[in-house]
Structures are given as C-alpha cells and as structure tokens.
Amino acid sequence: MAPVEVETIPYDIMAPVKNLKVVDKAFELPLVTSAYTEIVSLASPLTPYVENTVTTITPMVEGGYNAIKTKVEENVMPHLPEGTAEALQSKMNGAVAHLTVAVEKVDSLACGGVDQLVEKIPALKEATPELVKNTKETVASYFTSATSFLASFSLAQVALKIVDTGLEVVEQV
C-alpha cells in the first residue's frame, strides 16, 4: 500500500471551536475589555522574548514532526491493512463533529451564563473607573457600619459592666 498523507485535524474543521461566542460576549463588558488591555500592556515588554523563543523552537518542533511522520509513512503505513487510514480519518472526522457540537452547546450555555451574570450584577456594565469608585464607596460604607456596630457593642459591654457594678454595690448595702 502506498503511503497516504493523513492530516491530524484539518484547520477548517476546528474553525467553529476557535470562535467562541462567549468570548465576544465577555469582551462587550467594559470590565473585561479594560482588564484585557491592562494585561496586554503589562505583557508587552515580554512579547519580543516570547516571539524570539517561538521563532527559535518552531523549526526544531517541525523537524521532529517531519522525522516522525516520515518514519511512520515508511515503516508503519505499508504494514496497515487496505483502507485503515481512510477508516481512521472517517472516525476522526466523526469524533471532531461530535466534539464541535458539544463545544457549541457549551458555548451557548456559557453565553446564557454571562447574560444572567450581567443581569444579576448590573455593575459589570459600568466602565472600570466607575466600578472601582463604586466598590470603594461600598467598602467604605460597610466598614463604617461594621465599625459602628463594634463600637456600639463595646459601649453596650461597658454599660453592662457599670450596671453590674452598681448592682453589686446595692447588694452589699
């Protein structure tokens, strides 16, 4: 049997998986967009190093892949029964189709989850500086309330101690 070139996963089959709707929906939120922008700006000094590393490693990986592919084509493929490669490709295509359907369902569920989250927490629609300002105000308000509660608790403790001392004095008389 002549060697048959089998691609592992054709890129056009994986296209639906690469474009998740939930990512687009998340990037509609100002909070996510500004966080992404901040991360990109923090990572930008590292980008040249990563690009150089990938550029250096890619030829090595491609060389190893081509060596393995050649060995398989020369030593394994001739020993396989007729039609095995086509059967494997067919099964792989079926598996990829099932996986694509599953990923699309999960993507739809995730989109619904993002919608519910934004519905329950409308502050996510706010611009990040406004959200930070509101969060600081809320935390300060809760802190003030907690401080007032603790202060009233200690005042109540002191008042109870004064009453207890007064009752002890009355008891001694």
Side-chain angles (χ1 to χ4, degrees):
M1 181 174 142
V4 177
E5 185 164 333
V6 178
E7 295 291 327
T8 52
I9 297 178
Y11 291 111
D12 57 336
I13 290 176
M14 295 302 291
V17 177
K18 289 183 179 180
N19 301 319
L20 298 174
K21 292 179 284 186
V22 71
V23 174
D24 295 334
K25 188 168 279 293
F27 271 101
E28 291 173 4
L29 300 173
L31 179 68
V32 174
T33 305
S34 63
Y36 175 77
T37 304
E38 188 65 28
I39 289 170
V40 167
S41 68
L42 289 172
S44 62
L46 301 175
T47 303
Y49 299 113
V50 172
E51 288 175 352
N52 288 339
T53 303
V54 169
T55 304
T56 304
I57 292 174
T58 300
M60 290 185 251
V61 172
E62 286 176 349
Y65 168 77
N66 289 333
I68 292 170
K69 182 179 172 185
T70 303
K71 290 287 185 185
V72 168
E73 288 173 350
E74 291 173 355
N75 298 327
V76 176
M77 295 301 284
H79 299 291
L80 292 176
E82 189 73 30
T84 302
E86 292 81 13
L88 288 173
Q89 184 69 40
S90 172
K91 289 183 181 196
M92 187 187 71
N93 288 343
V96 168
H98 286 298
L99 181 64
T100 301
V101 168
V103 167
E104 287 173 355
K105 284 182 182 177
V106 169
D107 187 34
S108 295
L109 289 172
C111 284
V114 169
D115 289 339
Q116 286 179 355
L117 185 65
V118 170
E119 182 181 312
K120 300 275 184 194
I121 308 171
L124 293 175
K125 295 178 189 175
E126 297 176 5
T128 305
E130 187 177 332
L131 181 62
V132 169
K133 178 183 162 212
N134 290 344
T135 303
K136 285 181 180 178
E137 289 173 359
T138 303
V139 168
S141 170
Y142 281 128
F143 186 72
T144 302
S145 297
T147 304
S148 298
F149 173 74
L150 292 174
S152 69
F153 182 72
S154 58
L155 284 177
Q157 288 284 27
V158 170
L160 287 173
K161 285 183 181 180
I162 291 171
V163 169
D164 187 36
T165 307
L167 288 175
E168 283 179 12
V169 168
V170 170
E171 216 173 65
Q172 289 176 357
V173 173

